[in-house]
Amino acid sequence: MPDKVSLFATCVLNNFYPEVAISAARVLNRLGVEVAVEPSQTCCVQPFFNSGHWSDSAKLVGKFVSDYSGCDTDIVLPSGSCTSMIRNHYMEVCDQNDADSVEDISTRTFEFTEYITQKLGIYDLSPFKSESAESINVTYHESCHLNRELGISKEPISLLKSLENINLIYMDQSEVCCGFGGTFSTKYPEISTAMAEEKIANVKQSGAAVVTAADMSCLMHMGGLMIKKNLDIKSLHIAQLMDLAMGTDHIK
Amino acid sequence: MKPVTQKFEEKAKETLLDSQIQKNLSGLYEGFHSARIQASSDTADWEELQSKGREIKEEVINNLDKYLELLESKILSSGGAVHFAETAEDATQYVINLAKKRDVKTVVKSKSMLSEEMSLNEELTKNGIDPYETDLGEYIVQLAEETPYHIIAPAIHKSRSEVSKLFSEKIGTSDTENIETLTSEARDQLRDKFIQADMGITGGNFLVAETGTLALVSNEGNGRMCTSMPRIHVAIVGMEKIIPSMEDLGTFLRLLIRSATGQWISSYVTMISGPRKSTDVDGPEEFHLVIVDNGRSKMLANPQLREALYCLRCGACLNACPVYRKVGGHSYGWVYPGPIGSIVSPMLTGLSDGKNLPFASSLCGACKEACPVKIDIPRMLLYLRNQLVEGNDYPDQRTSKLWERYLSKCGAFILANSKLTNTLMKSASLIANIAPFVRKPFPASWKKTRESPALAKKTFVEQWASLELDSSFRKKH
């Protein structure tokens, strides 16, 4: 029986980067996973939680719970940060009535690369590679919540390394925050930008043509600065790179 | 020190524009931060040590009264005096009264952040007593008439040439940037002060309850001179610095020193248990321990914030923090900067005044990762944000505006209803066809330096419904 997951795209991907969620779905499918999508999905609630609005957060946790309880399907998110919100913080803010469901949901919620490595047991993607994929120089940014709150650090690197056409170049201070931090980026734009400048200097120094990460919000931040600076470096989600390398973008 | 925590934003912006300070701060990552990572990874049982340290702190802080009583009795029986000060003012008054009574004219001080809480130098000077900082960094900061920039490296923001200029202006040294020469000039100046001083004032890294011992960690030897040369030694220590036993001291010295500087052990660890005994050839005639609360019991009383009292003041979270490494120490506006400061400063000086500090973090978690006793700083920052917005535990400290709370409610209402969310997003996308700025909806504060992402013409969920994909691929759960 094939594995089955429900893909929660996150609000950033759903509204701004649908192509990334599609890539994630294609990759999962290519790895033998049946993908479903809950049509009423909206947001994981992190922006509300991080800005201190916890009673409103509780309401949205309730919405998530009603969308995803009552089944035993694993939920996969192409974002470490949103995954951590569900797994590590839902319990803190949810209504008492939702506590049991939250506990159940948090055990079957996985970040995209975490799911592939730890749940599917796939650390080597070479059997899935496409012959026609072009070779690219890539550097990997460790998104903070994936690395520090979920403890996922080696897994995405192992996946990237296993793809022959991806030439992974280490950048200095790859584990340092890019300065996004959700509402922090607009509340303290100068500090946030200064942090991104430093990150981009390291990306640039690595010589890579593409910076990747498992969180689109970090890439949106880094990419946003790189566009303003007219830098010819792309920011692509790890699912997009895998999609390209595995040639799954041809599936129709 | 008078808190100016409300000026965070203004001061942070100034610091970002100061290229010299930016250059000086940029050394922290390769310096202290990397040295800590090296030292902790070289320590075979590091994680065990961390857990042990945390457990001990938990036990002490939960039973603080018991340990304080034990400590007091030990110090009294060794001939020392103990004063419990509820406030910084109270602690200052005790020191000044004592100094006056004993006809003290000159005071030498070793590094103490708590004395900054008390504005001790200022108060001593007002009372005709001359205080001299003897830690090199503190000495620089005192000459520059500034406050410490970092918990363990008070003059980290000053370059060698700035120090050279300062020394030649203030103490008339020759115009040199040679570190050895500058250090020995400071040493010459301070040597006289050690000899003249009637009173030595120190902080304390640990107070060992079972033996009544004050432990001081230093690299310059100035701490030991402050505690042994003048006739009176006064130690001012926060009440959270207590640990149960000498055996525990071994654990904490490892944790503190390796996290602070990356050294295996500091050049000096000084242990003081009371004044000179009749059989001692030297040492102070009097030893006074001032144990200070100054708002710490507010954190003790709140289980959500209690772990902030586990802090060893090693500074590792400052070095690890990408925000501190940009905005520096003075932006935080009080004695304790950086991630731990963003909890401690608002709690000790007023949450609503310090409302910017809990938000001045990208919540990247590098502080928690660096902490030798695993203090969950991000969790407490989030808790304080919630208090500032909703104020359930501190209603009088709530600073959020009504419109802000209303906006959040509206947002949550919309997102809780996917049909409404989808309709609004669809409308936004349609409007964007005639009003292109709607396509890139991020606020001006983002767009000034970063391109806004563009709203997709169709959301993922919409596209999903119409994707011509393999049937196994397209299912509802």
Side-chain angles (χ1 to χ4, degrees):
Chain A
M1 215 176 97
D3 293 285
K4 188 175 163 185
V5 301
S6 183
L7 184 69
F8 183 84
T10 78
C11 59
V12 170
L13 264 55
N14 190 30
N15 295 302
F16 293 100
Y17 304 100
E19 67 279 11
V20 178
I22 291 171
S23 283
R26 279 189 188 126
V27 169
L28 287 168
N29 198 226
R30 176 85 171 84
L31 299 176
V33 179
E34 194 180 290
V35 181
V37 168
E38 166 55 49
S40 72
Q41 59 179 277
T42 55
C43 170
C44 78
V45 81
Q46 187 170 197
F48 294 82
F49 177 69
N50 284 1
S51 23
H53 297 275
W54 288 12
S55 60
D56 297 327
S57 304
K59 269 176 229 154
L60 287 176
V61 171
K63 185 226 170 351
F64 192 94
V65 163
S66 76
D67 282 350
Y68 290 96
S69 58
C71 68
D72 56 4
T73 314
D74 287 334
I75 305 158
V76 171
L77 290 83
S79 160
S81 198
C82 305
T83 306
S84 176
M85 178 68 219
I86 296 166
R87 193 181 297 166
N88 298 317
H89 302 294
Y90 266 21
M91 202 50 115
E92 235 166 299
V93 287
C94 70
D95 282 341
Q96 260 330 301
N97 301 337
D98 292 331
D100 289 344
S101 307
V102 163
E103 203 180 329
D104 159 51
I105 284 172
S106 66
T107 58
R108 53 184 171 88
T109 299
F110 301 90
E111 183 275 329
F112 176 68
T113 64
E114 180 186 35
Y115 182 81
I116 293 173
T117 52
Q118 296 184 0
K119 279 291 274 188
L120 297 181
I122 299 171
Y123 291 81
D124 179 2
L125 293 173
S126 56
F128 304 93
K129 71 167 196 277
S130 150
E131 297 304 327
S132 60
E134 277 175 46
S135 169
I136 27 175
N137 290 335
V138 174
T139 194
Y140 175 68
H141 162 72
E142 297 213 41
S143 48
C144 298
H145 293 170
L146 180 71
N147 176 19
R148 299 198 187 86
E149 293 189 6
L150 298 179
I152 305 290
S153 169
K154 292 190 185 107
E155 292 83 347
I157 294 171
S158 143
L159 291 174
L160 286 170
K161 272 190 178 162
S162 72
L163 288 162
E164 238 169 68
N165 73 312
I166 290 174
N167 176 27
L168 191 65
I169 311 170
Y170 175 79
M171 69 163 136
D172 279 344
Q173 306 189 12
S174 64
E175 85 297 356
V176 173
C177 178
C178 73
F180 174 62
T183 47
F184 172 79
S185 62
T186 53
K187 189 168 168 69
Y188 296 111
E190 294 84 3
I191 306 172
S192 166
T193 301
M195 288 160 73
E197 293 267 9
E198 200 167 286
K199 174 58 64 179
I200 294 312
N202 284 317
V203 169
K204 218 170 132 184
Q205 212 195 0
S206 77
V210 171
V211 55
T212 192
D215 278 79
M216 205 56 211
S217 43
C218 313
L219 292 165
M220 167 177 88
H221 191 231
M222 292 187 260
L225 186 77
M226 291 195 294
I227 293 171
K228 282 274 184 191
K229 294 173 88 76
N230 289 316
L231 284 178
D232 193 19
I233 301 169
K234 279 199 181 95
S235 47
L236 292 174
H237 192 276
I238 192 166
Q240 289 174 291
L241 277 180
M242 286 160 65
D243 192 8
L244 282 170
M246 289 159 67
T248 39
D249 54 330
H250 302 302
I251 295 179
K252 274 279 173 205
Chain B
M1 183 178 167
K2 198 172 164 271
V4 280
T5 48
Q6 63 273 50
K7 291 195 175 154
F8 174 80
E9 198 171 341
E10 183 188 326
K11 291 192 162 193
K13 282 187 201 166
E14 270 171 35
T15 310
L16 286 170
L17 294 173
D18 188 327
S19 57
Q20 183 62 54
I21 290 193
Q22 288 301 315
K23 206 173 148 211
N24 301 343
L25 284 170
S26 69
L28 278 173
Y29 184 93
E30 296 293 347
F32 283 148
H33 179 64
S34 302
R36 173 192 61 81
I37 292 173
Q38 189 64 49
S40 56
S41 64
D42 288 347
T43 306
D45 53 352
W46 184 251
E47 278 189 30
E48 261 168 65
L49 266 183
Q50 283 182 297
S51 309
K52 197 170 160 198
R54 189 178 167 89
E55 272 167 36
I56 299 167
K57 277 283 173 185
E58 210 172 300
E59 150 71 16
V60 174
I61 297 298
N62 286 338
N63 299 285
L64 202 53
D65 49 348
K66 182 181 100 187
Y67 287 103
L68 285 171
E69 270 173 37
L70 177 63
L71 175 81
E72 184 189 26
S73 73
K74 291 290 170 185
I75 296 210
L76 292 177
S77 67
S78 67
V82 179
H83 176 71
F84 288 98
E86 202 182 317
T87 62
E89 293 74 27
D90 179 8
T92 307
Q93 210 47 56
Y94 181 86
V95 176
I96 286 171
N97 289 347
L98 179 70
K100 283 185 171 169
K101 231 187 279 175
R102 302 289 192 270
D103 201 25
V104 168
K105 299 273 182 275
T106 305
V107 164
V108 281
K109 276 184 69 206
S110 80
K111 222 186 133 353
S112 156
M113 293 307 277
L114 181 54
S115 74
E116 300 293 331
E117 290 183 42
M118 298 156 63
S119 308
L120 187 56
N121 289 351
E122 208 181 311
E123 295 299 322
L124 286 167
T125 310
K126 267 191 214 160
N127 284 276
I129 303 158
D130 295 330
Y132 293 94
E133 293 289 351
T134 64
D135 170 276
L136 185 58
E138 292 285 353
Y139 180 66
I140 294 167
V141 166
Q142 189 182 27
L143 285 182
E145 295 173 42
E146 291 182 19
T147 54
Y149 210 73
H150 186 288
I151 295 175
I152 65 151
I156 193 87
H157 60 308
K158 297 227 177 280
S159 68
R160 188 192 302 199
S161 69
E162 286 170 302
V163 173
S164 162
K165 207 168 145 237
L166 178 73
F167 275 21
S168 84
E169 270 171 33
K170 300 276 177 162
I171 53 173
T173 56
S174 51
D175 195 13
T176 176
E177 288 193 17
N178 181 292
I179 288 180
E180 253 173 65
T181 316
L182 289 169
T183 312
S184 85
E185 297 269 12
R187 195 184 164 98
D188 282 348
Q189 295 281 329
L190 290 170
R191 190 60 46 146
D192 286 342
K193 307 302 174 202
F194 282 122
I195 296 167
Q196 277 169 32
D198 314 290
M199 180 185 272
I201 299 180
T202 69
N205 296 99
F206 301 102
L207 291 167
V208 182
E210 69 168 4
T211 54
T213 305
L214 168 82
L216 281 174
V217 171
S218 88
N219 276 319
E220 297 169 21
N222 62 312
R224 189 163 291 178
M225 289 172 79
C226 287
T227 63
S228 57
M229 291 181 70
R231 59 189 157 89
I232 307 165
H233 172 205
V234 180
I236 43 179
V237 188
M239 66 181 194
E240 78 281 13
K241 293 289 181 75
I242 199 160
I243 58 172
S245 69
M246 272 294 164
E247 200 193 322
D248 300 331
L249 184 62
T251 303
F252 284 110
L253 287 175
R254 285 189 192 93
L255 287 170
L256 169 67
I257 298 163
R258 290 169 204 197
S259 302
T261 57
Q263 288 168 291
W264 212 241
I265 185 84
S266 54
S267 308
Y268 297 86
V269 175
T270 305
M271 290 188 241
I272 314 282
S273 307
R276 177 201 297 197
K277 309 276 186 300
S278 56
T279 50
D280 291 345
V281 289
D282 54 15
E285 293 155 19
E286 292 181 45
F287 172 68
H288 298 256
L289 175 64
V290 183
I291 298 174
V292 185
D293 179 335
N294 200 33
R296 286 162 175 75
S297 46
K298 270 191 273 178
M299 290 188 282
L300 183 66
N302 185 339
Q304 292 283 352
L305 298 171
R306 193 171 291 165
E307 64 172 311
L309 294 173
Y310 302 172
C311 176
L312 310 181
R313 302 281 187 264
C314 68
C317 64
L318 279 59
N319 306 328
C321 178
V323 175
Y324 177 88
R325 293 200 302 263
K326 287 291 168 205
V327 306
H330 288 161
S331 301
Y332 292 84
W334 200 56
V335 181
Y336 305 104
I340 191 69
S342 296
I343 295 158
V344 172
S345 296
M347 285 314 292
L348 298 193
T349 67
L351 181 55
S352 57
D353 283 343
K355 65 174 182 179
N356 286 317
L357 301 185
F359 287 95
S361 163
S362 65
L363 300 172
C364 78
C367 48
K368 180 182 173 186
E369 187 179 60
C371 179
V373 287
K374 302 181 183 176
I375 300 176
D376 197 344
I377 296 174
R379 183 192 59 76
M380 288 189 282
L381 292 174
L382 284 163
Y383 168 78
L384 290 180
R385 288 181 184 192
N386 176 239
Q387 290 310 312
L388 287 159
V389 169
E390 293 178 346
N392 298 322
D393 297 339
Y394 304 99
D396 59 331
Q397 300 293 310
R398 187 171 82 171
T399 57
S400 62
K401 304 274 186 297
L402 183 65
W403 65 262
E404 193 188 322
R405 296 195 297 274
Y406 188 68
L407 197 68
S408 167
K409 251 180 211 11
C410 288
F413 177 79
I414 293 167
L415 288 167
N417 182 331
S418 58
K419 283 202 180 103
L420 181 57
T421 306
N422 292 340
T423 311
L424 284 173
M425 292 317 285
K426 219 179 259 180
S427 320
S429 199
L430 284 174
I431 294 167
N433 290 331
I434 42 170
F437 65 91
V438 178
R439 181 74 60 201
K440 293 186 173 181
F442 275 32
S445 58
W446 171 285
K447 286 189 191 168
K448 197 175 164 202
T449 51
R450 294 147 295 188
E451 182 74 12
S452 166
L455 273 179
K457 300 223 154 128
K458 274 185 171 180
T459 65
F460 168 66
V461 170
E462 270 181 275
Q463 292 190 37
W464 182 259
S466 58
L467 271 180
E468 286 174 33
L469 295 165
D470 166 322
S471 66
S472 71
F473 191 52
R474 245 187 86 227
K475 262 185 189 162
K476 283 193 197 177
H477 75 245

